Amino acid sequence: MNNATDTVPLAARWRGLGAWNFYFLAKFLLVAVGMLDFQALPNLLFAAFLLVPLPGRWLRVGRQVVAVPLGVALFYHDTWLPPFRRLLEQPGVLDFSWDYLLELMARFINWNLMGALVLLLVGYLFLRHWLRLSTLSLVGLAWLAVGGLPALSPVGSQQVVASSAATAPTAAVADNATLNAWLERFFASERERVTAFPAVKQDEQPFDLLVINVCSLAWDDLTAVGLHENALFSRMDVIFDQFNSATSYSGPAAIRMLRASCGQSSHSGLYQPAPEQCLLFENLAKLGFQSQTLLNHSGRFDNFIGDITSQHMPQPGLSITDFPRALVSFDGSPIAGDLDVLQGWWSKRRSSDAQHVSLFYNTISLHDGNRIVTADGGTRAADYATRTNRLFGDLGKFLDELEGSGRRVVVAIVPEHGAALHGDRMQLSGMREIPTPSITHVPVGLKFIGMGQHARAEPLKVATPTSFLALSELVSRVYAGLGAGQTLDLPSLLTDLPTTERVSETSGAQVIDFQGRTYMRLQGQPDWQPVPKENP
């Protein structure tokens, strides 16, 4: 015998969304607080799929079975999390230690948000008996579909008014065509820029260049742990205040550093052969510098060492096994103490006959998920501030040793990217898929040792927007300015260094600054959209 409802005409069987109302209401809450990248059309189609009347109980049950995985996939699609295929493209994720995986999972829990969702659930369970919530859900979807929240919608219909400090005093439409054209002009201009290194100087004063490439260090991270003002950077001679690392992952960051002598490349261009004049250490080799590589880790994760050697750099001169463990990495591999590694290298350097050495040293002591090795051989968690103080202390002691040696050395501290320490509306703490300014705005400092520099009350500041090309230009000027009897005139060396607009990329996202506003475009999406501003 047929169910009585099955004899009702299809047009009269519109049942509403039922429990799916809570699903959509929860999304509205997340959109309101800026934690969801809501896509209106897929959600409207999903709601229509749930609403269309179906004959027969089993068809309706089957629809619910299909709807659950669809709803989960759509919810994930609406978040700022990277596409699932990104995880498949990075098999190194499978090497994370269990301690680190548990730590990452714990970050997904936002207790304030959980409390708000519980209140929303209670309100839903109470009001569903009194109100037709399906109507509310559909009105909300329709409102979002027509741009009810313009601050979170794509930039195609928005305008950005240039401030009085901008180069153009008129309003500019920040639509997709405008931003795409601006980005194309940026890369076209960058392809024309290159550092002109001088010829070999016969009256040169030999010196060494040490590039200390620090993983997970941004101004935002230092501010978060109360270390924006610190003893290490206070003793630098030069600080780049507005340096953009242009990426938020280690391999691309190292490649950009090693290719510093040319203008900024696109992310995809990093994995194409570079012209020889772009390679900073190759340019130095032509001036007599011996290129060397040094790591305080194995370099195996995500083939980091392969990214280094592909830029014509040698294998590390010292093995990680030559030193005791100071930390254990997020993937369980050993990390040596920075002072141990640098002192080991300096001991070998002092016994070398090479007049010039250019060293690329990469340290991951600040990487997310690292654990400190205890006296009994075990490990314990260590917060970012503890590890930063240890790193800065090690680097400070190493600078003391260099200063006491009487040799001429240029030390450049150049972070890869930040740690994303506090996260933001789009990304959890530690997630760096979207290279926002808080991650790519890094502190770059240079110390000139044994070159007759007078003690300064505070470092000289480079306040213009810069990136790696400015660093390469400064190194070139230092070599040209160190002839016999010459003393470096730092203020003049810093004049008119190349500036670079803030453009940052990963394989999953692009971020640009356009007339005072930050925009992003995620992989696979045609539209640019404003980066949501954080609450003060």
Side-chain angles (χ1 to χ4, degrees), residues 2 47 122 209 222 226 277 302-303 310 329 403 428:
N2 290 337
V122 171
L209 172 67
L222 292 177
Q277 66 265 28
D302 206 23
N303 193 32
S310 68
S329 176
E403 289 175 334
L428 300 171

Side-chain angles (χ1 to χ4, degrees), residues 151-452:
L152 295 177
S153 55
V155 303
S157 61
Q158 293 184 13
Q159 290 188 342
V160 175
V161 181
S163 68
S164 59
T167 54
T170 58
V173 179
D175 57 15
N176 289 317
T178 299
L179 296 179
N180 288 338
W182 182 91
L183 188 59
E184 288 177 9
R185 288 194 299 271
F186 170 81
F187 284 127
S189 173
E190 291 298 297
R191 284 192 290 270
E192 303 300 319
R193 301 211 292 174
V194 61
T195 302
F197 277 80
V200 174
K201 292 174 66 68
Q202 299 304 317
D203 62 343
E204 66 181 8
Q205 297 184 54
F207 68 94
D208 291 341
L209 172 67
L210 278 58
V211 175
I212 299 179
N213 196 219
V214 183
C215 177
S216 303
L217 179 65
W219 285 114
D220 189 71
D221 303 317
L222 292 177
T223 300
V225 296
L227 290 173
H228 192 279
E229 304 295 331
N230 59 80
L232 178 65
F233 281 92
S234 294
R235 67 188 291 184
M236 295 291 109
D237 293 310
V238 176
I239 294 288
F240 286 79
D241 271 342
Q242 299 296 326
F243 193 97
N244 180 39
S245 69
T247 187
S248 53
Y249 281 116
S250 296
I255 294 173
R256 290 189 184 280
M257 176 66 244
L258 296 172
R259 295 187 180 188
S261 295
C262 282
Q264 184 169 322
S265 164
S266 66
H267 178 81
S268 59
L270 297 177
Y271 299 94
Q272 302 298 322
E276 190 173 274
Q277 66 265 28
C278 294
L279 299 173
L280 173 61
F281 284 72
E282 284 289 293
N283 288 323
L284 292 173
K286 294 175 182 177
L287 299 177
F289 285 77
Q290 182 186 97
S291 299
Q292 297 184 5
T293 304
L294 190 65
L295 312 176
N296 76 333
H297 55 102
S298 68
R300 295 193 186 97
F301 184 81
D302 206 23
N303 193 32
F304 181 81
I305 190 62
D307 287 336
I308 300 299
T309 55
S310 68
Q311 309 307 308
H312 300 185
M313 292 296 290
Q315 290 285 335
L318 297 172
S319 170
I320 189 66
T321 58
D322 296 336
F323 306 98
R325 296 184 311 163
L327 299 157
V328 170
S329 176
F330 53 90
D331 64 348
S333 61
I335 301 174
D338 293 284
L339 185 58
D340 290 341
V341 177
L342 289 168
Q343 284 182 332
W345 171 82
W346 185 238
S347 177
K348 290 185 64 176
R349 168 66 187 112
R350 296 188 68 173
S351 61
S352 167
D353 294 331
Q355 283 199 317
H356 293 290
V357 167
S358 55
L359 173 71
F360 177 81
Y361 171 58
N362 180 266
T363 170
I364 64 168
S365 295
L366 300 184
H367 195 288
D368 193 37
N370 291 348
R371 298 172 65 85
I372 286 181
V373 175
T374 56
D376 61 1
T379 64
R380 63 174 176 83
D383 61 25
Y384 186 85
T386 298
R387 289 181 287 122
T388 302
N389 280 317
R390 175 190 277 196
L391 171 65
F392 285 6
D394 282 355
L395 295 181
K397 292 174 183 176
F398 184 60
L399 290 180
D400 291 339
E401 188 166 335
L402 295 179
E403 289 175 334
S405 69
R407 290 176 176 260
R408 285 182 289 272
V409 184
V410 178
V411 179
I413 299 174
V414 188
E416 298 175 354
H417 53 72
L421 204 57
H422 59 57
D424 54 35
R425 293 185 183 187
M426 300 178 297
Q427 302 182 107
L428 300 171
S429 171
M431 180 176 285
R432 294 176 274 106
E433 181 70 14
I434 304 172
T436 55
S438 63
I439 300 174
T440 63
H441 179 203
V442 297
V444 170
L446 283 86
K447 183 70 178 176
F448 296 87
I449 297 171
M451 298 183 179

